[in-house]
Amino acid sequence: MAARIVEFVEFVNLFFAGLLAGMEFVVRFGVRGPLAALEERAQLQLRQALIRTLRVVVPAAYLPTIVSGVVVTALYGTGAGAGAGANSGIALGFRCAAVLAMVVWTLATFGGTVPINAAVLDWQPGALPQNWRELIRRWERLDTVRTWAAVAAFACFLVAASQR
């Protein structure tokens, strides 16, 4: 029974880590370029709309990813995980790397993109701050970190799950 619970938590982890990585990947490689090509007013309006939507959707994938990732890592690390065997050390290493990647994602988000997003929501078309382009470039650099951290976390969780 306990093994089934651990397997379910691992499934939840993989599902939400995949969603988070997918969202980050699409914003970075699918949305950013076309968004930057828009005229300032349209760009600002779309950025604000995306922020309002994604500040609900992204946490809905992030929270289950980080919580389930830590739980699965802890359970497998203590030997309580399902199918712990010869490859459990390798799997534990990948799970720890995934959790570390999620910590990087968390720091880039709460230490960087969230404050910029809050500022962007206050901007008015026709009255953008003088440094708005620099703030957007900073957000984009942080978003690249977030994207690769989410993708790395997902990949590491997948490799760990494959070690059973």
Side-chain angles (χ1 to χ4, degrees):
M1 179 65 161
R4 293 256 187 238
I5 292 170
V6 175
E7 287 174 356
F8 176 76
V9 174
E10 184 173 47
F11 171 82
V12 168
N13 174 251
L14 290 172
F15 178 80
F16 284 104
L19 283 179
L20 181 65
M23 282 185 258
E24 292 293 343
F25 195 85
V26 166
V27 168
R28 170 62 184 89
F29 294 104
V31 174
R32 235 169 76 180
L35 179 61
L38 294 174
E39 173 269 324
E40 285 180 8
R41 179 183 218 61
Q43 185 180 146
L44 175 60
Q45 290 171 331
L46 183 53
R47 282 184 189 282
Q48 290 173 332
L50 285 168
I51 291 166
R52 287 185 189 98
T53 301
L54 294 175
R55 71 178 177 184
V56 174
V57 176
V58 172
Y62 162 73
L63 289 173
T65 300
I66 190 75
V67 170
S68 63
V70 168
V71 168
V72 167
T73 301
L75 291 174
Y76 277 102
T78 62
N87 293 332
S88 62
I90 294 168
L92 179 61
F94 275 100
R95 283 190 183 89
C96 289
V99 170
L100 179 61
M102 288 303 301
V103 169
V104 169
W105 187 95
T106 302
L107 294 172
T109 299
F110 294 104
T113 60
V114 167
I116 294 170
N117 286 345
V120 170
L121 287 174
D122 290 335
W123 294 352
Q124 298 301 315
L128 295 173
Q130 282 187 323
N131 67 337
W132 78 275
R133 289 187 194 278
E134 177 53 38
L135 287 171
I136 295 302
R137 279 192 293 275
R138 184 173 194 289
W139 185 94
E140 289 174 348
R141 287 190 303 272
L142 291 164
D143 182 59
T144 299
V145 170
R146 286 168 36 119
T147 299
W148 291 115
V151 168
F154 180 49
C156 288
F157 282 132
L158 278 174
V159 170
S162 75
Q163 296 300 306
R164 264 197 274 137

